Amino acid sequence: MHILRQVGQIRQIKQIGQTRHFAQTSRHSQVLRVLGLESSCDDTAAAIVTSSGEILSETNRHQHAIHSQHGGIVPGLAANHHLMNMPLVVHETLKAAGLQISDLDAIAVTRGPGLPASLAVCMSAGKTLAAVHEKPLIGVHHMEAHALMARMGAEDKVQFPYLCLLISGGHTLTLVVHDINEYTMIGTTRDDSIGEAFDKVARELQIPWIDAQIGGGAGPALEQCALAGDPTRFPLPVPMDKADSAGSPDFSFSGLKTRIKRMREQALFDPLCAQDQADVAAAFQMTAAKHLRKKTVLAFRRARELLQGQPLSCLVASGGVASNLAVRQVLAGLAAKEGVELVCPPPSLCTDNGVMIAWAGIERLRRGLLDPYTIDFIQRWPLEDLKQMGYTKRTSSF
Ligand code: KG4
Ligand code: ZN
């Protein structure tokens, strides 16, 4: 059934004039193989993934060590490092899989949203590889890739429609995922994203970033620090919990961050004292998770109204912050109450990576959602715009 569906789609792509090479490769191998490239922020990543959900190879060069000295991501530095790293990352990924570009069915690349100069690197690399080798090109929406990641190897469980909580450094969203390319946003942040809040609070608490090799960055550092903390010693108010905003499914994290900043200014805790650091980190993490929980309950209600009796298959949590185990625990409890399962990609696939871009590429390739070689990057790109933007069902992109 699965393979039949793929073959059907491959035929469809062929009919609309896909390159001969693509049709031949796909017909013989049946399982699709897609290279995904990502450089929208501070990770230079590539992966080759199959339509049966197998990761053939994966490479990710983080820049945490470079940006940690500046207390945040410096766009120019990020782009320079992507430029240096991208050729090596692509080379290593192909080599590790024992494949050449000619063996692939398509090249998927993050098209946006993200830092312009960083996006330009993966776009340029992906477009050039695709054009030179006459391979289909798929421009991937970074948030769609996060939202679809949980389906890889679990398509029976994560069926459309499902509710997705997308919690990353760039976004905090609840979405109904109706289908590939089709999303309804229910709640979004009114100010900072949850990832930004983790990062800023970690800075306020002067928690050193964890080494890149073990999944670096400020968020994981705060999570680790909070393990030794008492979350009740510094009680913090749950954001948007007052009568005027309690009914809104939107999020807000800047108040929480500012509160902790004020506490430090008023010397209510000492960031140089390890126990204070851990207790404030634990209080912040618990309060942020409670806020997510309350707003996700509202999102479930709205999603069910919208779907008019059509059931949600599960709750997916994805994006960098979904790798946080304390957050996952809270969300798992909520999902159980809502009568669905919480499905999260493994932590390394929650944060930015090439696998999610390759997998989103596979999902779009199966539907014939291809792009011309002339596409450019899109810095700001609401996920709901995907549907009306459409795609190009054709081969020759010049
Ligand atoms: O999805 P992602 O890798 O990049 C974006 O698309 O933004 O998310 C990065 C964000 C950063 O703010 C990082 O600190 C946060 O996710 N993050 C975490 C954890 N791992 C990554 N936050 C809390 N706990 C974690 N374990
Ligand atoms: Zn991301």
Side-chain angles (χ1 to χ4, degrees):
M1 168 82 178
H2 191 62
I3 286 175
L4 278 180
R5 203 175 68 203
Q6 279 174 12
V7 171
Q9 276 149 358
I10 289 159
R11 275 208 202 102
Q12 183 195 2
I13 292 166
K14 198 179 166 195
Q15 276 163 9
I16 54 160
Q18 204 41 269
T19 62
R20 199 156 46 89
H21 188 104
F22 168 57
Q24 279 174 351
T25 307
S26 302
R27 200 170 51 234
H28 288 159
S29 62
Q30 292 187 329
V31 171
L32 301 170
R33 289 185 291 215
V34 171
L35 169 69
L37 304 181
E38 153 69 26
S39 69
S40 63
C41 191
D42 62 338
D43 288 292
T44 321
I48 300 172
V49 169
T50 72
S51 50
S52 45
E54 196 185 348
I55 302 170
L56 298 182
S57 63
E58 182 188 4
T59 314
N60 197 342
R61 295 212 174 178
H62 306 284
Q63 300 180 11
H64 296 131
I66 297 151
H67 299 286
S68 66
Q69 301 158 25
H70 302 274
I73 292 159
V74 183
L77 271 181
N80 282 348
H81 283 84
H82 290 314
L83 269 176
M84 288 190 281
N85 290 333
M86 187 57 83
L88 307 173
V89 162
V90 173
H91 176 72
E92 279 170 28
T93 304
L94 285 164
K95 202 168 158 200
L99 295 173
Q100 299 185 342
I101 299 280
S102 56
D103 300 318
L104 303 171
D105 292 294
I107 294 174
V109 54
T110 306
R111 187 177 182 191
L115 301 170
S118 290
L119 286 169
V121 176
C122 61
M123 284 293 289
S124 177
K127 283 167 50 161
T128 306
L129 288 172
V132 169
H133 294 270
E134 297 188 352
K135 295 290 175 185
L137 175 73
I138 301 149
V140 172
H141 192 297
H142 184 89
M143 307 313 282
E144 175 167 61
H146 276 305
L148 297 177
M149 186 66 258
R151 280 174 45 79
M152 193 179 88
E155 288 159 86
D156 291 345
K157 186 156 53 169
V158 188
Q159 288 182 12
F160 303 115
Y162 57 90
L163 187 69
C164 178
L165 175 64
L166 230 159
I167 38 181
S168 72
H171 300 266
T172 310
L173 302 172
T174 39
L175 299 165
V176 178
V177 183
H178 300 278
D179 201 346
I180 315 295
N181 220 37
E182 230 183 291
Y183 301 85
T184 303
M185 191 184 81
I186 295 182
T188 185
T189 180
R190 293 185 175 180
D191 38 60
D192 292 351
S193 73
I194 185 169
E196 267 178 290
F198 265 91
D199 296 348
K200 287 175 182 167
V201 170
R203 212 174 310 152
E204 205 61 56
L205 295 175
Q206 299 178 25
I207 303 170
W209 287 27
I210 298 178
D211 189 279
Q213 298 311 315
I214 51 167
L222 190 146
E223 180 180 11
Q224 204 171 67
C225 174
L227 287 175
D230 168 5
T232 61
R233 193 173 141 226
F234 295 100
L236 296 166
V238 176
M240 292 187 63
D241 215 17
K242 296 214 177 89
D244 59 340
S245 53
S248 164
D250 284 344
F251 302 91
S252 168
F253 289 96
S254 72
L256 207 47
K257 168 201 74 187
T258 309
R259 179 91 169 205
I260 291 170
K261 186 168 185 275
R262 295 257 161 75
M263 283 163 63
R264 186 183 57 78
E265 285 163 358
Q266 292 165 1
L268 294 178
F269 68 84
D270 175 4
L272 299 176
C273 161
Q275 194 57 53
D276 280 10
Q277 232 183 14
D279 291 344
V280 177
F284 163 75
Q285 188 172 262
M286 186 185 73
T287 312
K290 274 190 189 165
H291 179 39
L292 284 182
R293 185 184 205 284
K294 289 194 168 192
K295 297 307 181 184
T296 309
V297 168
L298 294 180
F300 263 108
R301 204 177 296 161
R302 294 252 173 123
R304 286 180 173 136
E305 282 164 14
L306 192 75
L307 293 169
Q308 299 181 340
Q310 197 185 357
L312 290 159
S313 71
C314 59
L315 170 65
V316 165
S318 196
V321 182
S323 61
N324 182 298
L325 296 181
V327 168
R328 281 186 187 214
Q329 213 170 12
V330 169
L331 295 177
L334 148 72
K337 272 205 162 157
E338 294 288 340
V340 295
E341 195 181 330
L342 172 71
V343 185
C344 303
S348 66
L349 298 181
C350 281
T351 49
D352 289 352
N353 62 82
V355 173
M356 70 183 201
I357 305 302
W359 177 255
I362 282 171
E363 297 257 37
R364 294 181 73 81
L365 177 63
R366 286 163 166 174
R367 307 287 176 105
L369 303 175
L370 309 177
D371 292 292
Y373 298 144
T374 48
I375 54 168
D376 58 359
F377 63 78
I378 307 177
Q379 182 186 359
R380 290 182 219 288
W381 192 6
L383 194 49
E384 283 174 308
D385 285 3
L386 266 182
K387 194 177 176 196
Q388 71 233 31
M389 272 180 68
Y391 47 87
T392 311
K393 278 197 173 187
R394 60 177 188 162
T395 353
S396 177
S397 310
F398 296 107

